[in-house]
Amino acid sequence: MLRVPIRTPASKHLPKKRAAAKHLIERYYHQLTEGCGNEACTNEACGSSPVFQRMDNNAAAIKALELYKNNAKLCDPHPSKKGASSAFPENSAKGAHSNGKMNHKELQPTREDFRDLNDLTEEKVYEILSLCSESGDYSPLIRVIGRVFSSAESLVQSFRKAKQHTKEELKSLQAKDEDKDEDEKETASGSSAAMEVEADASASAGEGSSHGENNVQRLGPVEVSVDIEAVRRVYDRLLSNEKIEAAFLNALVYLSPNVECDLTYHNVYAADPNYLNVFIIIMENSNLHSPEYLEIALPQFCKAMSKLPLPALAKLARLWSQYGVDQIRRLVETFQQLITYTVISNEFSSDNLVNEDDGVVAANKCLKIVYYANVLGGDLDMDHNEEEDDEPIPESSELTLQELLGEERRNKKGPRVDPLETELGIRTSDCRKPLIPFEEFINEPLNEVLEMDKDYTFFKVETESKFSFMTCPFILNAVTKNLGLYYDNRIRMYSERRITALYSLVQGQQLNPYLRLKVRRDHIIDDALVRLEMIAMENPADLKKQLYVEFEGEQGVDEGGVSKEFFQLVVEEIFNPDIGMFTYDESTKLFWFNPSSFENDGQFTLIGIVLGLAIYNNCILDVHFPMVVYRKLMGKKGTFRDLADSHPVLYQSLNDLLQYEGNVEEDMMITYQISQTDLFGNPLMYDLKEGGDKIPVTNESRKEFVALYAEYMLNKSVEKQFKAFRRGFHMVTNESPLKYLFRSEEIELLICGSRNLDFQALEDSSEYDGGYNKDCHIIKDFWETVHSFGQEQKRLFLQFTTGTDRAPVGGLGKLKMIIAKNGPDSDRLPTSHTCFNVLLLPEYSTKEKLRERLLKAITYAKGFGML
C-alpha cells in the first residue's frame, strides 16, 4: 500500500485517534487515486476496479472522507504494487536501488537513513543530492522530497532556523563567564555582540526594502521558525532538475487537500502556529506559475491557503512585506497567472459566472495577502490622519415610517472595512508608495468576463456562498469599479423613490421622488445654495435622490444633459477667482482653498455637495484640485511632500532649506513666524510655535520647521473651509462604498474624468442611426474634420455633444456616441442631445460646409442647441 508516514515530531500535538483516522483517510485517498494494483479488483471504490469512475483529486479527497465515515472496504496492496516506485511512498524505498552502477556498500547505510527521514534541512538536502550526483540516480532524493513535501507535519519541522538566544539569555551567559580570564572575557564579549546582532535580525526573513525595514520597527517583527533563505537556496539548486521538479509538483497535488482538510475541520493553526511554515515554504517555489502547476496543483493549494484563519493571513502579509520588490512581484505573478489561465481557458458568462470558479476565487483571496504585504512594505504614513467631523451628519427626521416598514435608512454597521485590513491595522490610503505599483494587481482578462450586476448583488448580500470581486477591489480596473458604484447609486436612488412613494401613501405628502433644483442662470449659485442648504438641514436623505435640474424660463427635460450643464455652470461660478473662495496657481493650473475667504461655511459645503452629487449622478466636473485634496477626503492630512503638487514654489524653497549645507541660523535668519497675504495683499503673520518670532530656525530644528510650515499651509490655515467642504461631500457619499473601492487618485478620475482625449477610440466606438453608417461619405468627412481640430476645438466638440469636455473613466472609447441623420443638405446647424450623447447631423453637400457649420455650432452652443 502506498502511503505517507504520519508519525512525525509535529504529530505529537495530535491525539492518537486523530492520527489513526488521518492514516485511514489517506489510504482511502490513495485507493481512489492510484488503486490497489489488482486489475481484476471488485471493489467499486478502488481505482484499479474496471467499473471505477475516474475523479479529480478534490473529488477523491471528499470521497475518501465519506468512505472513512462509512467504514468502507479497504483493498490490500496487490503484489505488483508493493514494489512499485512512486514520488513519495515510504514502502517504495525498499529494494528500489538495484542499479549496478551504485556503490552498494557505501550507500546502504544512507538508504536506511533516507527511509526514516521525515523532515529536511538544507544540509540534509545537499548531502542526499551529493550522493545522488555521484551515483547518477536521483530516485532517493525524489522519494525524500515527495515524502516530506507531501506531508504538512514534515514540512512544519523542515528547514527550521537554528535556535537564537534572547538578550536575557545572552546576559546570563555573560554572567557565567565573569570568572574567566581576560582573554576569554574578550572572546565571550565579541561572541555575545555578534549573537545580539543576530538576535535583532532574526525577526526579519528575506531581504526587504528600506521602507519595509522601517515598517518592521513600526509594526513589530514577524517571528517565524523557518529559515527562508535556506529554503530559497534549496529550491535554486533543485528546480533545474526536471525529475526533481516533478516530485515537488506531485507532492503539492497530494499535500493540498490534506492541508485544506486540516484547516477546515481541525483548526491546526491554533494548535501550532508553526503550521504557517507549510505555506511559507511552498510559496518560495519559483516555478509555481509554470503551466504544469496551473492546472491542478496551484488551484488546490490556493484553496487550502484561503482557509487560513485571519491571524495567520495577517502574519503572512507582515512576513511578505519584508520581502524585496522582486519577491513581491513573483508572488503577484504567481496568482495572476492562475487567474488569467483559468479565465482564458473557460467560457464564463452570465450563466457560468467566474464568481463560482473555486480556483479563481481562492487565487483572489491569496492575492489579497500579497496586496496588503505590498502596502505594508511600502512608504507608509500612518500618523497624519484627518479628524472626524465634530457633528454627525443629521439623520432624516422621518424615522417612524422607516421603523413601521422594518427598514433603516442608515447603514448601522457603518462603512465596509476589509477584515484583513482591520487585523493589520492599516489602510490602503496610509501607503504613499507601495513596493510595486497598484496597477500590477489589476487583472484585465478577469475584468472583461466579470458580470458586474451579479457581482454587485453578491457584494451587497454578503453571503459566504457567493463571492464578490468587489471585496478585492485591487484586482478591478477603474471602469469596472465605476460600474459597481453606478449600480450602488442607482439602487439607492430607487430605494429613495420607493420610500417617498410610501410616505405619500401613508402620510398624504406630495409625491416628490427626485431631488429637484429649479435655478435661474443669472443667480445659479444663490438658488442652488438656498435649495441644497434647506435639503441638508431638513432631510439630507433627499440628496440621495436622482438629481433633476430645471432652468427657469427654458424648455427641456433633464435626462442627464441639463444636470451636466448645471454642474458646469456652478463650478465655473464658484471657482471664479473674483469670488475669492479659492486661489489659483498659474504655474500648476490648480485651485486651493483661500484661508482668507469671506464666504461662509455654507458655500464650501455646497462645493462638497456638488462634488458628491457629481459622483452620485455619474457626471464629470471641470475642477482642478491638487491630489492632496482627494487624500484629505480619504482621511489623510497633507504633509510636506504634498506641497510639491499644491504649492510647488514653497516646496522648492523649503526643500532648499533642508538641503542647505551652511549655518541656517546665521545665514538665513529665519524664525518660526511666517507671513501670508490676504485678498487685499495685506501681510498676515502666524507663529508656528508660541513666541515663534523669537525662535530661530537652526540646522537641528529645520525639519521640525518644515513639517510645521506644511501642517499650517495644508491643514490648519484651511481647516474651517475644508471641514465644511468635506461635510458636504459626505452628506452624499457617506453610505457609498466609494472609500472602500477607490484610491485617492481614482477619486479624482471619477470626479474630473480623464484629460487624455483619444478621438480615434471615440470614432471606433461610435454608432450611427437614421441612414448613416461608418462608410458614408459625410461620416468620413466628419471624422477627418474632427481629427483636424485643435485641442481646444476638440474640447468644445465634446462639450457640445456630451455636456462635458472630459473623457469618462476608461477614456472616450467608453462614451458610445451616436451620430444620427437630421435631414438633407441645409443651412441648419448640427444639434445634440447631451443626455444621450446623440449628435444630429444634416447631410451637408461639401466638407467645407460641414466644417463651417460644425465649428459655429460648437463655438456658440452654451445654453442653446443642447438638450
Side-chain angles (χ1 to χ4, degrees):
M1 181 65 209
L2 306 181
R3 61 185 176 86
V4 177
I6 298 298
R7 293 298 297 171
T8 64
S11 64
K12 293 178 181 178
H13 298 285
L14 304 174
K16 292 182 179 180
K17 288 184 179 180
R18 183 184 152 198
K22 189 171 182 181
H23 173 70
L24 285 174
I25 293 171
E26 288 175 352
R27 288 190 62 187
Y28 281 118
Y29 176 79
H30 280 289
Q31 179 175 289
L32 292 167
T33 56
E34 299 181 7
C36 65
N38 181 9
E39 295 180 359
C41 181
T42 58
N43 186 354
E44 294 182 359
C46 177
S48 297
S49 172
V51 297
F52 178 76
Q53 294 184 354
R54 297 292 170 187
M55 59 184 73
D56 60 24
N57 291 309
N58 276 339
I62 296 172
K63 184 68 175 177
L65 286 171
E66 293 178 1
L67 294 175
Y68 168 73
K69 291 178 182 178
N70 297 329
N71 196 22
K73 178 184 177 182
L74 263 176
C75 296
D76 292 325
H78 192 266
S80 64
K81 194 76 173 174
K82 291 181 180 179
S85 173
S86 89
F88 46 84
E90 66 173 353
N91 290 353
S92 64
K94 299 177 181 178
H97 298 294
S98 57
N99 192 329
K101 296 181 180 180
M102 297 176 60
N103 187 330
H104 187 80
K105 293 182 179 179
E106 184 176 338
L107 292 182
Q108 184 65 36
T110 310
R111 284 205 303 274
E112 293 298 324
D113 292 341
F114 296 167
R115 187 165 57 247
D116 296 333
L117 196 59
N118 292 318
D119 59 79
L120 286 173
T121 64
E122 185 178 13
E123 292 74 18
K124 289 178 182 177
V125 172
Y126 294 158
E127 177 187 350
I128 301 171
L129 180 62
S130 176
L131 293 171
C132 292
S133 299
E134 291 176 9
S135 66
D137 180 11
Y138 289 90
S139 57
L141 179 58
I142 290 173
R143 279 194 294 274
V144 169
I145 288 174
R147 183 165 63 249
V148 172
F149 276 78
S150 63
S151 167
E153 290 79 7
S154 297
L155 275 180
V156 167
Q157 298 299 326
S158 296
F159 304 105
R160 289 293 189 99
K161 287 180 181 177
K163 186 179 185 302
Q164 305 286 352
H165 291 287
T166 65
K167 292 183 178 180
E168 290 74 16
E169 291 174 334
L170 292 170
K171 290 178 181 178
S172 176
L173 290 173
Q174 287 178 334
K176 293 179 180 179
D177 291 339
E178 286 180 354
D179 295 334
K180 295 186 178 181
D181 60 78
E182 195 67 22
D183 292 337
E184 289 176 332
K185 281 185 179 180
E186 291 177 4
T187 304
S189 176
S191 300
S192 298
M195 292 170 71
E196 187 166 340
V197 171
E198 184 181 5
D200 291 337
S202 65
S204 172
E207 292 186 11
S209 68
S210 59
H211 294 315
E213 290 168 0
N214 293 336
N215 294 337
V216 169
Q217 298 175 2
R218 179 194 295 269
L219 301 171
V222 183
E223 297 287 351
V224 292
S225 57
V226 63
D227 188 341
I228 296 176
E229 290 300 325
V231 173
R232 289 175 180 170
R233 289 191 293 267
V234 167
Y235 275 125
D236 288 342
R237 289 284 298 272
L238 299 184
L239 288 178
S240 58
N241 187 306
E242 292 183 3
K243 293 182 179 179
I244 297 177
E245 182 184 2
F248 284 117
L249 175 62
N250 294 333
L252 185 58
V253 170
Y254 178 71
L255 170 74
S256 299
N258 291 336
V259 172
E260 184 179 358
C261 178
D262 282 348
L263 291 169
T264 304
Y265 300 108
H266 302 303
N267 197 19
V268 288
Y269 179 78
D272 183 9
N274 286 320
Y275 199 87
L276 195 64
N277 291 5
V278 173
F279 299 94
I280 297 171
I281 293 172
I282 295 298
M283 287 308 302
E284 289 302 322
N285 185 339
S286 58
N287 285 356
L288 286 178
H289 64 277
S290 62
E292 294 80 8
Y293 285 86
L294 297 179
E295 186 69 36
I296 297 176
L298 187 56
Q300 287 185 344
F301 185 71
C302 287
K303 280 188 275 187
M305 187 184 295
S306 67
K307 301 295 183 181
L308 281 168
L310 194 58
L313 296 176
K315 185 173 183 179
L316 202 54
R318 292 190 186 100
L319 174 67
W320 285 347
S321 72
Q322 299 169 32
Y323 285 12
V325 171
D326 291 341
Q327 292 291 342
I328 290 291
R329 183 169 278 116
R330 178 184 62 80
L331 292 172
V332 172
E333 290 174 352
T334 296
F335 297 123
Q336 290 282 37
Q337 285 276 61
L338 174 56
I339 295 169
T340 302
Y341 173 81
T342 307
V343 167
I344 64 177
S345 301
N346 294 274
E347 295 183 1
F348 293 111
S349 64
S350 57
D351 298 323
N352 180 29
L353 296 175
V354 67
N355 306 67
E356 297 173 353
D357 188 284
D358 292 340
V360 173
V361 170
N364 270 274
K365 292 178 179 179
C366 295
L367 188 61
K368 182 187 289 187
I369 308 172
V370 190
Y371 175 79
Y372 282 110
N374 186 50
V375 170
L376 280 170
D379 184 3
L380 291 181
D381 175 14
M382 300 176 67
D383 300 325
H384 301 90
N385 298 315
E386 287 280 358
E387 296 179 0
E388 296 294 330
D389 291 325
D390 297 331
E391 300 179 16
I393 294 172
E395 297 279 350
S396 167
S397 59
E398 302 167 342
L399 293 177
T400 306
L401 183 59
Q402 298 290 329
E403 296 170 353
L404 179 64
L405 297 173
E407 298 182 6
E408 294 183 5
R409 188 180 295 276
R410 296 295 168 201
N411 183 359
K412 297 303 181 183
K413 293 184 291 185
R416 184 190 290 258
V417 179
D418 191 279
L420 184 54
E421 186 176 279
T422 304
E423 182 74 16
L424 291 168
I426 54 125
R427 299 174 298 175
T428 299
S429 58
D430 292 331
C431 186
R432 284 282 191 170
K433 183 180 180 182
L435 287 176
I436 64 175
F438 288 124
E439 289 73 19
E440 295 192 25
F441 286 85
I442 298 173
N443 189 290
E444 293 296 346
L446 174 66
N447 281 264
E448 291 174 5
V449 301
L450 186 58
E451 299 287 338
M452 205 57 201
D453 54 342
K454 305 282 181 56
D455 192 85
Y456 173 76
T457 303
F458 302 153
F459 178 74
K460 295 301 289 184
V461 172
E462 294 187 61
T463 61
E464 293 185 3
S465 59
K466 297 293 185 180
F467 177 80
S468 169
F469 289 94
M470 287 178 70
T471 61
C472 298
F474 53 83
I475 203 168
L476 305 177
N477 58 35
V479 175
T480 304
K481 288 190 281 191
N482 188 41
L483 186 56
L485 185 65
Y486 173 81
Y487 286 132
D488 187 82
N489 293 339
R490 289 296 162 178
I491 288 175
R492 214 171 289 274
M493 289 177 186
Y494 297 150
S495 176
E496 293 296 334
R497 207 176 295 173
R498 182 170 62 92
I499 291 171
T500 302
L502 290 171
Y503 269 112
S504 66
L505 290 173
V506 177
Q507 298 184 353
Q509 295 181 356
Q510 183 180 358
L511 183 63
N512 187 16
Y514 297 100
L515 172 59
R516 291 183 177 273
L517 295 179
K518 188 172 183 179
V519 296
R520 296 166 293 175
R521 284 187 180 272
D522 296 337
H523 301 83
I524 191 168
I525 294 297
D526 294 335
D527 293 349
L529 178 61
V530 169
R531 177 66 178 140
L532 290 174
E533 274 189 328
M534 188 181 302
I535 292 171
M537 288 188 298
E538 293 180 356
N539 191 12
D542 281 356
L543 294 172
K544 309 294 196 313
K545 295 178 180 178
Q546 184 174 348
L547 181 63
Y548 189 95
V549 176
E550 180 183 351
F551 286 103
E552 190 173 284
E554 299 182 19
Q555 294 182 350
V557 178
D558 187 6
E559 294 289 346
V562 180
S563 295
K564 292 178 184 178
E565 188 177 6
F566 164 76
F567 282 122
Q568 179 193 3
L569 294 174
V570 168
V571 167
E572 286 181 0
E573 185 76 18
I574 288 185
F575 284 92
N576 186 338
D578 294 338
I579 292 182
M581 291 182 66
F582 296 91
T583 59
Y584 182 69
D585 190 318
E586 289 288 350
S587 62
T588 62
K589 309 296 183 186
L590 297 175
F591 288 93
W592 183 248
F593 298 90
N594 186 351
S596 306
S597 173
F598 294 135
E599 302 294 337
N600 59 34
D601 293 353
Q603 296 276 27
F604 289 98
T605 301
L606 172 63
I607 288 294
I609 291 176
V610 167
L611 259 67
L613 287 175
I615 292 177
Y616 195 60
N617 290 272
N618 205 32
C619 291
I620 295 173
L621 299 182
D622 185 22
V623 297
H624 304 274
F625 281 132
M627 183 57 65
V628 64
V629 171
Y630 303 103
R631 280 182 53 79
K632 286 167 73 69
L633 283 176
M634 297 293 279
K636 303 300 296 185
K637 285 186 176 182
T639 60
F640 168 61
R641 67 180 72 185
D642 292 309
L643 288 174
D645 185 28
S646 61
H647 302 76
V649 176
L650 175 60
Y651 173 81
Q652 188 59 51
S653 299
L654 294 176
N655 194 50
D656 290 343
L657 172 64
L658 292 174
Q659 303 297 326
Y660 186 68
E661 297 181 357
N663 189 310
V664 172
E665 181 179 1
E666 294 180 0
D667 298 346
M668 296 189 176
M669 294 183 290
I670 305 172
T671 67
Y672 274 78
Q673 186 179 73
I674 60 175
S675 66
Q676 283 186 300
T677 55
D678 61 14
L679 287 172
F680 306 103
N682 301 319
L684 299 175
M685 311 307 292
Y686 178 80
D687 288 346
L688 297 176
K689 298 174 75 172
E690 187 176 351
D693 60 327
K694 299 176 182 178
I695 305 175
V697 177
T698 65
N699 289 58
E700 292 73 24
S701 66
R702 56 184 169 181
K703 285 186 178 180
E704 179 194 37
F705 172 79
V706 167
L708 290 174
Y709 204 143
E711 168 69 13
Y712 173 75
M713 291 296 297
L714 297 177
N715 303 309
K716 287 186 176 180
S717 66
V718 296
E719 183 176 9
K720 179 182 176 183
Q721 294 86 342
F722 181 77
K723 276 191 173 182
F725 169 78
R726 182 181 63 188
R727 182 173 174 78
F729 184 77
H730 286 168
M731 280 183 179
V732 185
T733 63
N734 63 323
E735 294 179 350
S736 168
L738 186 71
K739 285 187 177 182
Y740 182 83
L741 294 175
F742 295 90
R743 304 189 305 275
S744 54
E745 59 269 25
E746 294 174 321
I747 298 289
E748 180 188 31
L749 186 62
L750 276 181
I751 295 174
C752 306
S754 173
R755 299 178 185 179
N756 181 26
L757 301 181
D758 184 358
F759 272 75
Q760 185 59 52
L762 178 63
E763 179 182 353
D764 295 340
S765 65
S766 292
E767 299 175 359
Y768 305 94
D769 195 12
Y772 284 158
N773 60 62
K774 66 177 181 179
D775 297 320
C776 288
H777 183 72
I778 188 172
I779 295 300
K780 292 181 178 179
D781 287 346
F782 169 80
W783 284 115
E784 287 177 6
T785 300
V786 171
H787 288 307
S788 69
F789 284 169
Q791 197 69 14
E792 186 59 32
Q793 290 173 326
K794 286 181 177 179
R795 292 192 180 280
L796 288 173
F797 171 77
L798 276 182
Q799 183 72 52
F800 176 75
T801 54
T802 69
T804 177
D805 64 353
R806 296 292 190 93
V809 176
L812 289 179
K814 301 294 181 181
L815 203 54
K816 299 297 181 187
M817 186 176 72
I818 298 174
I819 303 176
K821 186 175 180 179
N822 192 23
D825 179 32
S826 69
D827 290 335
R828 285 184 300 170
L829 295 173
T831 55
S832 65
H833 295 288
T834 55
C835 309
F836 308 106
N837 301 329
V838 175
L839 174 65
L840 301 175
L841 186 69
E843 193 173 6
Y844 297 116
S845 56
T846 65
K847 184 177 179 181
E848 291 72 20
K849 186 175 182 179
L850 167 65
R851 181 183 181 89
E852 184 268 332
R853 297 279 87 186
L854 184 59
L855 279 174
K856 182 171 287 188
I858 65 177
T859 304
Y860 301 103
K862 186 172 292 187
F864 174 77
M866 296 185 293
L867 303 178

